[in-house]
Amino acid sequence: MSAPAWLQATTMHYRETWADPGRRRAYADNRWTAAPPAMLGLVLERALGAGEGAGCRLQVQLDEFEQVFRAADRSEARLVVRFTLLPVRGAESISSGTLAVLEPATTADASGGAAAFRIASSRLADAIAQWLAEVDRALPGGLSAPGRCRR
């Protein structure tokens, strides 16, 4: 899991698209318990069974992790990732993709955003698992073919 420097801290970010869409802001009195890449990495490890012997390497680049306000009383969690599946050895990509997950917040505040991010993170993990299954089905011999994910 990697991310830009602005996502390496525990700052909770938001954007007010109706007022100043180009400006990212930070909540003054709210923080994540860990940096977003660490939190999302843990969700993905648990959901995808990391370290269970499959052998492939999944590289994930977290590009966006912010609460987006469409209006003062309406917001959503926005998660955007790029990911690449690599074989056991080597750097040539087996497959790659990009996913954006938007999850409406039940309240237009940091608490509502945090709850929406929990759901969005789970939805992202499910989508990546589905993508991995599709990649497995699409490749001759699947991901277990020699030179791919088999050790």
Side-chain angles (χ1 to χ4, degrees):
M1 173 69 62
S2 60
W6 69 272
L7 283 172
Q8 297 295 339
T10 58
T11 307
M12 291 182 82
H13 295 281
Y14 68 95
R15 190 178 303 270
E16 297 172 335
T17 59
W18 82 90
D20 191 359
R23 182 174 175 211
R24 186 175 46 248
R25 301 167 189 258
Y27 282 104
D29 298 324
N30 298 92
R31 298 274 179 259
W32 295 113
T33 57
M39 293 187 306
L40 187 57
L42 186 58
V43 169
L44 293 176
E45 285 175 15
R46 288 178 178 163
L48 301 176
E52 293 183 6
C56 273
R57 298 172 290 144
L58 180 64
Q59 292 180 343
V60 180
Q61 168 69 37
L62 178 59
D63 289 331
E64 291 184 45
F65 195 93
E66 64 185 1
Q67 187 174 2
V68 177
F69 284 84
R70 303 287 179 205
D73 63 346
R74 194 177 76 229
S75 71
E76 61 195 14
R78 180 173 168 80
L79 255 170
V80 178
V81 297
R82 289 177 286 140
F83 46 90
T84 303
L85 186 64
L86 299 165
V88 174
R89 291 178 185 83
E92 189 171 328
S93 168
I94 295 171
S95 188
S96 62
T98 300
L99 281 172
V101 177
L102 301 174
E103 182 63 36
T106 55
T107 59
D109 56 12
S111 178
F117 274 108
R118 278 192 297 278
I119 296 167
S121 296
S122 179
R123 286 182 50 215
L124 177 73
D126 290 345
I128 290 176
Q130 181 179 352
W131 170 77
L132 287 168
E134 290 169 5
V135 169
D136 186 43
R137 283 191 299 274
L139 292 171
L143 292 174
S144 324
R148 291 194 186 122
C149 297
R150 191 170 70 187
R151 291 184 189 259

